[in-house]
Amino acid sequence: MAVAPPPARASRARRKDLLWIYLFILPGLALTSMFIFYPMGASWYFSLTEWNGFSDAKAFVGLANYRELIGDGFFWGSFGRSMIFVLIGVPLRVGLALILAIVLNNVIRGRLSTFFRTVFFLPVMAAASVIGVVLTFVLSPGNGPIALLLETTGLTDTPVEFLSDPDLALWSTLLLHTWKNFGMTLIYWLAALQTVPPEYYEAAEVDGAGAVQRLIRITLPILLPFAVIIIVLTANENLHAFALIQALTGGGPYYASEVVEVYIFRTAFAPDAAGGVPRLGYASAAGCFFGMATLIIALLQAWALKLVAAQRARLDR
C-alpha cells in the first residue's frame, strides 16, 4: 500500500511544479507582449496623435482622427469592400468547402480523396504575395493564358481585364482570395466530419434513411457547433487579404479593390502621388476603428449561431 507524502512536502512539490510552469510560459508571454500587446497599445495611443511616423513631431489631437474618419468617404468605401469579403466571401467559401468535404469524406475514398485534399490545400501553402504576382501574369489581358483561352474559344471578342476593370477588380480579387484559402476551410470541415460517430449512420441505414436524410438529420446538426468556429475563422481570414490584393491590384483601379487593410497601408506609408504626407496616427485610428467593428461582427456571428444551435437542440428534444 502506497504511503502519501506529508502535506508540507506535497505543497513544496506543487510550488516547484508551478514555478517550472511559469518559467516555461514566460518566453511565450514575453514574445506575445512584444509583438501583439505592445503594438495594440501603441496603435491606440498613435490614433490619438497627428504623426507622420518618421519625425519626432507628434501632436496629441484627442479624438480628432476618429471624427475625421467618420466623414472620410475613402475609408467607408474600403470598409464596404471588406464587408463584401465577409458577407459574400465567407458564405461562398464555407458552403462550397462543406459540400466538397462531405463528398471527399463519404463519396470519394482512398488515394483519390488524398489527391484532391492535397490539390485544394496546396494554394494555402504558397505565399499570398507570390501567388498574386503570378496571377497578374496569368490574368493579363494582353498575353495571359486565360485571356488567350477565352479569345481562342470564342467566348469573348475582346480581352477581359479581370484586374484593371473597376467593375471586375473587386470580384476577381474576392474569387482569387477564396480559391487561395479554400483548402484551409476544407480542412476545418474534414476535421469536423471525423467527429460524427459512424454508428449513427449505421443505425440510420438500418431504419431506411437515405443519404439526404442522414445528411440533414445527423451530419448537419452535429456539425453546427463547429460552424460557429469555422465561420469566425474564415471571416477573420477574409479580413486579412492585404498581401494578395496588394500584389494583384494595389487596391486599384481607382480604389475599386481597396479594402481597409490596403487603405491603412496607403494612408500610413504610401500616400498618393499628388504629394500627400504619410499619416501614421490617422491610419492607426482607422485600424483601431476597424478592429472594434470586426470584433463586434464576430461576437454577433457567434451569438447568432449559438442561438440557432440552442433552438435546434430544443426542437430535437
Side-chain angles (χ1 to χ4, degrees), residues 65-314:
N65 285 333
Y66 290 96
R67 286 196 293 269
E68 182 181 346
L69 199 65
I70 290 173
D72 189 341
F74 288 104
F75 171 74
W76 289 112
S78 64
F79 188 92
R81 285 182 282 275
S82 290
M83 290 301 101
I84 288 175
F85 264 66
V86 174
L87 298 177
I88 296 179
V90 171
L92 176 69
R93 188 168 135 196
V94 170
L96 291 177
L98 174 60
I99 293 171
L100 184 60
I102 292 172
V103 170
L104 290 177
N105 197 59
N106 298 327
V107 180
I108 302 175
R109 297 180 182 279
R111 292 183 179 180
L112 200 57
S113 176
T114 304
F115 170 75
F116 281 116
R117 296 180 193 207
T118 305
V119 166
F120 283 106
F121 194 72
L122 276 178
V124 179
M125 303 296 291
S129 55
V130 174
I131 284 186
V133 172
V134 172
L135 286 175
T136 55
F137 292 103
V138 173
L139 297 174
S140 171
N143 54 4
I146 300 296
L148 294 176
L149 178 65
L150 292 176
E151 286 189 76
T152 304
T153 55
L155 293 175
T156 60
D157 296 329
T158 57
V160 180
E161 299 182 0
F162 291 101
L163 301 177
S164 52
D165 185 337
D167 295 328
L168 290 178
L170 178 64
W171 305 108
S172 298
T173 53
L174 174 60
L175 290 177
L176 293 174
H177 185 271
T178 301
W179 163 77
K180 198 254 177 230
N181 297 283
F182 183 80
M184 183 59 74
T185 310
L186 178 66
I187 292 297
Y188 294 154
W189 281 126
L190 286 170
L193 283 169
Q194 304 309 310
T195 65
V196 182
E199 53 267 25
Y200 286 13
Y201 292 129
E202 295 169 2
E205 287 178 3
V206 171
D207 291 340
V212 176
Q213 288 178 309
R214 293 198 298 272
L215 173 66
I216 296 175
R217 305 295 299 179
I218 298 175
T219 306
L220 295 183
I222 292 178
L223 293 184
L224 194 56
F226 296 96
V228 177
I229 300 171
I230 293 173
I231 289 175
V232 171
L233 289 174
T234 306
N236 179 58
E237 289 171 1
N238 272 24
L239 290 172
H240 292 81
F242 171 77
L244 186 62
I245 293 179
Q246 187 67 20
L248 285 170
T249 65
Y254 310 115
Y255 311 105
S257 61
E258 186 180 72
V259 296
V260 171
E261 281 187 320
V262 180
Y263 170 87
I264 292 172
F265 173 79
R266 177 173 62 83
T267 308
F269 304 110
D272 54 47
V277 177
R279 300 182 64 191
L280 190 62
Y282 186 68
S284 298
C288 293
F289 184 91
F290 187 63
M292 291 300 297
T294 53
L295 177 62
I296 292 171
I297 292 171
L299 292 175
L300 286 175
Q301 283 179 332
W303 173 76
L305 289 171
K306 283 184 178 179
L307 204 65
V308 171
Q311 182 68 19
R312 184 61 187 263
R314 280 196 294 272

